[in-house]
Amino acid sequence: MPQPAAPMRAVFNALSRAPSRQCTRLMSTTRGAQLARRPTVSCLADTQIHQSWGQRRYKYKTVEEAKSRYRSGPFSWKAGILFIVAGAGLLWYFESEKERMRRQRVAEANKGVGTPKVGGAFNLVDQDGKPFTEQNLKGKYSLVYFGFTHCPDICPEELDKMAKMFDLVQADCPGALVPVFVTCDPARDGPKELKEYLSEFHTGFVGLTGTYEQVKAMCKAYRVYFSTPSVVKPGQDYLVDHSIYFYLMDPQGDFVEALGRQHSPEQAARIIIQHVKDSKKP
């Protein structure tokens, strides 16, 4: 009897261990399947999200369109044109501001302490015989030229130039400028002579005359040189030597800039227009 008990015990032990291994294998298989499914589901969801976001942001009809975007990089021809236009605009702005500051420095320097003052009070009459002083020029820019009606060549040339300058300024800044002709020869240039002479050049000119002392005082205030012969016989023709400049005065009666024969009518008009527009800026 003791002999068959040993084989039966071995079989019993084998059977008792079998369910345990099978259970362990089953649990291990279940856990592995769960772990394998989790990343698969997560990766699929992330892929769908990225694809959906990409489709909303970049809608390409063909693969070539998508490739062309990456070949062009972050810049396009439209961005290049915009960059060039913006750069040109900034360059123009800085250059114009630089020129405006230069003109302002010139005007301020002419008003500064230690420089000869140009302009001032005067008391003359116009081509209609009406009293005319520096107060009549306040509120507008004025362009003052000194000459005489019997001048053979220089004065007519300069008055033609003055007429062109005045028309150009009028076209851009109407009513901003008063052109003034002051005679350096009051002995022969009265109101009547001035009116007849200036009408040949421009109807908008203002002619000024007066006594010799009054004209001399104004020429001195404007730093204008003029000289007449000391001895002149009645009816004798003579020439008057004088400075050849256009004096630009601002609406307050202060000297701004002198324009000479080196300036063409277009250049001189452009300078005047720039000063007029500068005065309107805050």
Side-chain angles (χ1 to χ4, degrees):
M1 294 301 295
Q3 293 180 353
M8 293 297 293
R9 190 179 297 113
V11 173
F12 180 80
N13 291 335
L15 292 175
S16 63
R17 288 195 296 270
S20 177
R21 286 196 299 272
Q22 185 177 5
C23 182
T24 302
R25 192 181 303 114
L26 180 60
M27 293 175 63
S28 176
T29 303
T30 304
R31 189 180 299 111
Q34 292 177 351
L35 292 175
R37 284 197 301 272
R38 286 178 184 171
T40 303
V41 174
S42 177
C43 291
L44 181 59
D46 291 342
T47 303
Q48 291 176 348
I49 291 173
H50 287 297
Q51 288 180 349
S52 177
W53 178 82
Q55 290 174 356
R56 287 196 301 268
R57 181 161 180 163
Y58 306 113
K59 295 182 178 180
Y60 303 115
K61 296 181 180 180
T62 63
V63 176
E64 286 73 13
E65 291 183 2
K67 290 181 178 180
S68 64
R69 176 183 178 273
Y70 291 100
R71 282 198 300 267
S72 62
F75 297 101
S76 64
W77 64 270
K78 292 182 179 179
I81 292 176
L82 181 61
F83 177 79
I84 293 173
V85 171
L90 288 174
L91 180 62
W92 174 85
Y93 173 77
F94 287 124
E95 287 297 327
S96 62
E97 282 297 302
K98 181 180 177 181
E99 182 63 21
R100 185 180 71 84
M101 294 301 295
R102 184 198 67 80
R103 292 193 300 270
Q104 186 175 0
R105 286 195 299 269
V106 170
E108 292 298 327
N110 291 328
K111 302 177 186 179
V113 178
T115 58
K117 180 176 174 57
V118 177
F122 61 86
N123 190 1
L124 299 175
V125 294
D126 63 14
Q127 69 266 39
D128 295 320
K130 298 178 181 180
F132 199 100
T133 70
E134 75 282 355
Q135 295 300 323
N136 293 95
L137 297 178
K138 295 291 182 68
K140 295 182 179 181
Y141 278 84
S142 56
L143 192 64
V144 184
Y145 179 77
F146 295 81
F148 64 109
T149 63
H150 288 74
C151 182
D153 46 19
I154 295 178
C155 287
E157 291 177 1
E158 294 301 290
L159 287 177
D160 277 335
K161 179 179 177 179
M162 191 175 186
K164 294 178 182 177
M165 293 160 54
F166 179 56
D167 286 338
L168 290 172
V169 175
Q170 277 288 95
D172 200 298
C173 304
L177 183 67
V178 179
V180 180
F181 176 82
V182 183
T183 182
C184 297
D185 186 20
R188 293 184 292 182
D189 295 340
K192 180 181 177 181
E193 289 76 16
L194 282 179
K195 188 170 186 177
E196 182 179 352
Y197 180 72
L198 294 177
S199 64
E200 299 178 3
F201 299 96
H202 204 292
T203 57
F205 284 179
V206 175
L208 299 180
T209 187
T211 66
Y212 178 83
E213 292 301 325
Q214 289 174 330
V215 171
K216 182 179 179 180
M218 184 175 182
C219 288
K220 183 178 180 180
Y222 277 76
R223 303 295 188 268
V224 173
Y225 165 79
F226 82 102
S227 176
T228 57
S230 57
V231 179
V232 178
K233 296 179 181 180
Q236 181 182 353
D237 194 15
Y238 59 89
L239 297 178
V240 178
D241 190 16
H242 61 88
S243 302
I244 307 173
Y245 284 105
F246 295 98
Y247 296 87
L248 180 63
M249 314 298 290
D250 70 11
Q252 290 74 42
D254 294 322
F255 173 65
V256 177
E257 192 168 343
L259 304 173
R261 305 195 73 182
Q262 72 275 17
H263 297 96
S264 68
E266 292 77 16
Q267 290 173 334
R270 192 178 306 116
I271 292 173
I272 297 172
I273 291 170
Q274 288 170 343
H275 281 294
V276 171
K277 292 183 177 181
D278 288 345
S279 66
K280 297 179 180 180
K281 294 181 180 180

